CSV table of all heavy atoms in Angstrom, one decimal:
chain,number,residue,atom,x,y,z
U,93,VAL,N,-8.8,-3.5,0.1
U,93,VAL,CA,-7.6,-4.2,-0.3
U,93,VAL,C,-7.7,-5.7,0.0
U,93,VAL,O,-8.1,-6.1,1.1
U,93,VAL,CB,-6.3,-3.6,0.5
U,93,VAL,CG1,-5.1,-4.4,0.2
U,93,VAL,CG2,-6.2,-2.1,0.1
U,94,THR,N,-7.3,-6.5,-1.0
U,94,THR,CA,-7.3,-8.0,-0.8
U,94,THR,C,-6.5,-8.4,0.4
U,94,THR,O,-5.3,-8.0,0.5
U,94,THR,CB,-6.8,-8.7,-2.1
U,94,THR,OG1,-7.6,-8.3,-3.2
U,94,THR,CG2,-6.8,-10.2,-1.9
U,95,LYS,N,-7.0,-9.2,1.3
U,95,LYS,CA,-6.3,-9.6,2.5
U,95,LYS,C,-5.1,-10.5,2.1
U,95,LYS,O,-5.3,-11.6,1.5
U,95,LYS,CB,-7.3,-10.3,3.4
U,95,LYS,CG,-6.6,-10.6,4.8
U,95,LYS,CD,-7.6,-11.2,5.7
U,95,LYS,CE,-7.1,-11.4,7.1
U,95,LYS,NZ,-8.1,-12.0,8.0
U,96,THR,N,-3.9,-10.1,2.5
U,96,THR,CA,-2.7,-10.8,2.2
U,96,THR,C,-2.1,-11.1,3.5
U,96,THR,O,-1.9,-10.3,4.4
U,96,THR,CB,-1.7,-10.0,1.3
U,96,THR,OG1,-2.4,-9.7,0.1
U,96,THR,CG2,-0.5,-10.8,1.1
U,97,ARG,N,-1.7,-12.4,3.7
U,97,ARG,CA,-1.0,-12.8,4.9
U,97,ARG,C,0.5,-12.9,4.7
U,97,ARG,O,0.9,-13.6,3.7
U,97,ARG,CB,-1.6,-14.1,5.4
U,97,ARG,CG,-3.0,-14.0,6.0
U,97,ARG,CD,-3.6,-15.4,6.4
U,97,ARG,NE,-3.7,-16.2,5.2
U,97,ARG,CZ,-4.8,-16.2,4.4
U,97,ARG,NH1,-5.8,-15.3,4.6
U,97,ARG,NH2,-4.9,-17.0,3.3
U,98,GLY,N,1.3,-12.3,5.5
U,98,GLY,CA,2.7,-12.3,5.4
U,98,GLY,C,3.3,-11.1,6.1
U,98,GLY,O,2.6,-10.3,6.7
U,99,HIS,N,4.6,-11.0,6.0
U,99,HIS,CA,5.2,-9.9,6.7
U,99,HIS,C,6.6,-9.6,6.0
U,99,HIS,O,7.1,-10.4,5.2
U,99,HIS,CB,5.5,-10.2,8.1
U,99,HIS,CG,6.3,-11.5,8.4
U,99,HIS,ND1,5.7,-12.7,8.4
U,99,HIS,CD2,7.6,-11.6,8.6
U,99,HIS,CE1,6.6,-13.6,8.6
U,99,HIS,NE2,7.8,-13.0,8.7
U,100,MET,N,7.1,-8.4,6.3
U,100,MET,CA,8.4,-8.0,5.8
U,100,MET,C,9.1,-7.2,6.9
U,100,MET,O,8.5,-6.6,7.8
U,100,MET,CB,8.2,-7.2,4.5
U,100,MET,CG,7.5,-5.9,4.7
U,100,MET,SD,7.3,-5.0,3.2
U,100,MET,CE,6.2,-3.6,3.7
U,101,THR,N,10.4,-7.1,6.8
U,101,THR,CA,11.2,-6.3,7.7
U,101,THR,C,12.5,-5.9,7.1
U,101,THR,O,13.0,-6.5,6.2
U,101,THR,CB,11.5,-7.2,9.0
U,101,THR,OG1,12.0,-6.3,10.0
U,101,THR,CG2,12.4,-8.3,8.7
U,102,VAL,N,13.1,-4.8,7.7
U,102,VAL,CA,14.4,-4.4,7.4
U,102,VAL,C,15.4,-5.0,8.4
U,102,VAL,O,15.2,-4.8,9.6
U,102,VAL,CB,14.5,-2.9,7.4
U,102,VAL,CG1,16.0,-2.4,7.3
U,102,VAL,CG2,13.7,-2.3,6.3
U,103,LEU,N,16.3,-5.8,8.0
U,103,LEU,CA,17.3,-6.4,8.9
U,103,LEU,C,18.5,-5.6,9.2
U,103,LEU,O,19.0,-5.6,10.3
U,103,LEU,CB,17.7,-7.8,8.3
U,103,LEU,CG,16.6,-8.8,8.0
U,103,LEU,CD1,17.1,-10.0,7.2
U,103,LEU,CD2,15.8,-9.2,9.3
U,104,ALA,N,19.0,-4.9,8.2
U,104,ALA,CA,20.3,-4.1,8.5
U,104,ALA,C,20.5,-3.1,7.3
U,104,ALA,O,20.1,-3.4,6.2
U,104,ALA,CB,21.5,-5.0,8.6
U,105,TYR,N,21.2,-2.0,7.7
U,105,TYR,CA,21.7,-1.1,6.7
U,105,TYR,C,23.2,-0.9,6.9
U,105,TYR,O,23.7,-0.7,8.0
U,105,TYR,CB,21.0,0.3,6.9
U,105,TYR,CG,21.6,1.4,6.0
U,105,TYR,CD1,21.4,1.4,4.7
U,105,TYR,CD2,22.4,2.4,6.6
U,105,TYR,CE1,22.0,2.4,3.9
U,105,TYR,CE2,23.0,3.3,5.8
U,105,TYR,CZ,22.8,3.3,4.4
U,105,TYR,OH,23.4,4.3,3.6
U,106,ARG,N,23.9,-1.0,5.8
U,106,ARG,CA,25.4,-1.0,5.8
U,106,ARG,C,25.9,0.0,4.8
U,106,ARG,O,25.7,-0.1,3.6
U,106,ARG,CB,26.0,-2.3,5.5
U,106,ARG,CG,25.8,-3.4,6.5
U,106,ARG,CD,26.3,-4.7,6.0
U,106,ARG,NE,27.7,-4.6,5.6
U,106,ARG,CZ,28.3,-5.5,4.8
U,106,ARG,NH1,27.6,-6.5,4.2
U,106,ARG,NH2,29.6,-5.3,4.5
U,107,PRO,N,26.5,1.1,5.3
U,107,PRO,CA,27.1,2.1,4.3
U,107,PRO,C,28.5,1.6,4.0
U,107,PRO,O,29.1,0.8,4.6
U,107,PRO,CB,27.2,3.4,5.2
U,107,PRO,CG,27.3,2.9,6.6
U,107,PRO,CD,26.5,1.6,6.7
U,108,GLY,N,29.0,2.2,2.9
U,108,GLY,CA,30.4,1.9,2.5
U,108,GLY,C,30.7,0.4,2.3
U,108,GLY,O,31.7,-0.1,2.8
U,109,ILE,N,29.9,-0.3,1.5
U,109,ILE,CA,30.0,-1.7,1.4
U,109,ILE,C,31.1,-2.2,0.5
U,109,ILE,O,31.5,-3.4,0.6
U,109,ILE,CB,28.7,-2.3,1.0
U,109,ILE,CG1,28.2,-1.8,-0.4
U,109,ILE,CG2,27.6,-2.1,2.1
U,109,ILE,CD1,27.1,-2.5,-0.9
Side-chain angles (χ1 to χ4, degrees):
V93 173
T94 299
K95 187 173 184 179
T96 301
R97 291 176 293 277
H99 57 276
M100 61 181 175
T101 190
V102 172
L103 300 175
Y105 171 73
R106 291 175 54 201
I109 59 169

